[in-house]
Amino acid sequence: MSEGAKVEAGQVGGAATPFEVAVVGAGAAGLAAALAVAREGIPTALVGRHAPVADGRTVALLDGSVRFLEALGAWEAVAPHASPLCELQIVDDTGSLFRPPPARFRAAEIGLDAFGWNVESARLVESLRARARAQDNLTLVEADATGAVPGEATARIALADGAAVEARLVVAADGARSPLRTASGVRVRDWTYPQSAITTILAHARPHRDVSTEFHTRSGPFTLVPLPGGHRSSLVWVTGEGAARRLAALDDDALGQAVERQARAMLGAMRVDGPRGLVPMRGLAVTRPVANRLVLIGEAAHVFPPIGAQGLNLGLRDAATLRDTLLVAARDRRDPGSRPVLDTYARARRVDTAARTAAVDLLNRSLLTGLLPVDALRGLGLLAMTQLGPLRRLVMREGVLPRLGAPELMRAAR
């Protein structure tokens, strides 16, 4: 275990007293889940190495997620480095006969200063780690988990260093290729898209004015999301696999020019100002996010393309909902790993997860097809949201946070 890990005697390696909850995975979703549960006085372990986060990756945190991070005490350190997303502009660049005019959505129309805030992932994770190191009732076990075996009363998590952790409930936040999910036997539906995403950070000549712009192209969405300073944005360019590889092979000057052309020069001259990424597009959904003494959250439970800033925000809603479920169970003195508690969590996440996964998948696939009826339906839908105020506001609110069943720590103060 690395220097700085907190380990309570007797609880790791043949523990006499198991933890109530052990979260496996020290990414943003796992950290948030462990903090949310531990702050309620529930003895919790966070299992996983605190590895470096790749520079240059950013995440758009929607309003509900920011409220959650504020409750965890993790937002204050992040806020000075975050850029508000006050407006969202969608431009149909598919060349379709049914191409609607650009649509603009303003957060002020639904009573928000911003739909969310864009921040570099490394800053978010480091803030969550700092809170975890200081959190009571939270033990950090900085070692990789190699598996988990459920028992009648507890589950035993084997560690790569030969030690073990026991807990009444294990939370798998160990990513899209989750070993804990695989070992549990949970049924998975996974799929791939003929696309990859180019990611980087760009500097540009014209100010972004806190407007996030998403071009819908025939090969996928091309999105520029504001970063602090007014003249920097993060890029997610989803395109065909071959085109993505060719773009990835360009030098910085050529890639900047390619981005400028694709963005119709709306932000002026572009310059690559950060590391690049090349990410294959895939999707994954589980039939149920629970198994014997196990809950799946984040990408262990759902994966889809980076459209509409839904990925991590959905994982944070998993974490916040898990906190609500376990808090009720603790008040009622119920076993957190019991079937009724697991069923309660699964029901609470079913609609939100299924709806977001289906919506992102449908939009992405609709861009890839050249069928006129599909183009017409997509164009009419965007036009209706532009012209019909009540529909537009409903879509904006639901896009930020589902109104039905929103977790307690994500709700606006009344």
Side-chain angles (χ1 to χ4, degrees):
M1 298 178 193
S2 66
E3 183 179 353
K6 300 192 310 185
V7 179
E8 297 178 7
Q11 288 192 307
V12 176
T17 305
F19 294 97
E20 288 292 291
V21 177
V23 179
V24 177
L31 283 159
L35 279 165
V37 174
R39 70 190 289 276
E40 302 301 339
I42 299 172
T44 303
L46 175 64
V47 180
R49 288 182 299 118
H50 291 192
V53 178
D55 290 335
R57 293 287 183 91
T58 67
V59 58
L61 296 164
L62 299 177
D63 181 72
S65 295
V66 171
R67 294 178 191 277
F68 183 38
L69 293 169
E70 286 176 335
L72 300 181
W75 181 245
E76 184 178 1
V78 174
H81 309 286
S83 181
L85 311 179
C86 299
E87 296 186 17
L88 169 63
Q89 180 177 226
I90 298 179
V91 180
D92 190 311
D93 197 21
T94 61
S96 167
L97 293 174
F98 298 96
R99 184 171 52 199
R104 217 169 171 97
F105 302 89
R106 296 172 175 83
E109 193 174 350
I110 56 173
L112 297 177
D113 294 331
F115 292 117
W117 284 260
N118 195 33
V119 65
E120 293 187 44
S121 299
R123 291 191 182 277
L124 170 63
V125 171
E126 184 48 50
S127 179
L128 287 165
R129 285 175 180 171
R131 295 303 305 169
R133 294 183 193 109
Q135 179 63 54
D136 292 338
N137 301 305
L138 180 57
T139 297
L140 307 187
V141 183
E142 295 190 36
D144 288 330
T146 59
V149 179
E152 185 175 344
T154 65
R156 184 177 179 85
I157 303 167
L159 305 180
D161 61 7
V165 173
E166 287 196 19
R168 300 174 80 190
L169 173 67
V170 176
V171 180
D174 51 345
R177 304 188 187 281
S178 168
L180 267 63
R181 182 192 65 225
T182 300
S184 74
V186 167
R187 286 190 296 167
V188 172
R189 180 173 64 92
D190 58 358
W191 60 95
T192 60
Y193 300 93
Q195 300 162 294
S196 293
I198 296 286
T199 63
T200 193
I201 292 175
L202 299 155
H204 40 79
R206 296 175 186 159
H208 54 58
R209 305 187 188 281
D210 301 330
V211 178
S212 179
T213 302
E214 187 171 287
F215 289 85
H216 289 172
T217 79
R218 190 55 79 194
S219 55
F222 167 96
T223 309
L224 292 167
V225 190
L227 283 170
H231 289 266
R232 296 175 78 237
S233 295
S234 58
L235 168 73
V236 180
W237 187 349
V238 179
T239 187
E241 293 170 305
R245 286 193 295 270
R246 289 190 292 273
L247 288 166
L250 296 176
D251 63 28
D252 283 354
D253 288 343
L255 179 59
Q257 292 169 15
V259 173
E260 183 182 342
R261 287 193 298 272
Q262 185 65 47
R264 302 181 182 179
M266 61 179 293
L267 294 176
M270 294 281 194
R271 175 173 57 83
V272 174
D273 194 36
R276 306 185 196 182
L278 178 62
V279 185
M281 293 294 96
R282 60 188 293 253
L284 180 146
V286 296
T287 53
R288 273 170 58 84
V290 297
N292 190 6
R293 296 206 169 271
L294 180 72
V295 163
L296 306 174
I297 71 169
E299 290 195 338
H302 40 72
V303 178
F304 41 76
I307 297 174
Q310 295 300 318
L312 178 58
N313 290 284
L314 194 62
L316 293 176
R317 284 203 293 281
D318 293 342
T321 302
L322 180 65
R323 172 262 181 195
D324 292 355
T325 304
L326 296 181
L327 182 57
V328 172
R331 288 171 179 168
D332 295 343
R333 299 184 182 278
R334 299 167 73 188
D335 179 350
S338 66
R339 179 56 59 181
V341 173
L342 297 176
D343 288 345
T344 298
Y345 173 80
R347 284 194 300 271
R349 295 305 299 137
R350 183 175 60 235
V351 173
D352 184 28
T353 301
R356 308 284 162 160
T357 302
V360 169
D361 180 64
L362 180 62
L363 174 58
N364 191 44
R365 292 186 189 278
S366 76
L367 294 174
L368 298 177
T369 181
L371 295 175
L372 289 180
V374 175
D375 280 348
L377 286 172
R378 188 182 63 251
L380 287 172
L382 191 57
L383 186 62
M385 285 189 286
T386 303
Q387 299 297 322
L388 303 176
L391 175 62
R392 181 175 63 255
R393 289 187 287 274
L394 173 65
V395 170
M396 286 192 289
R397 290 192 188 99
E398 288 299 313
V400 171
L401 182 69
R403 304 194 79 181
L404 182 63
E408 181 183 358
L409 296 183
M410 289 189 167
R411 298 174 199 157
R414 297 187 183 277

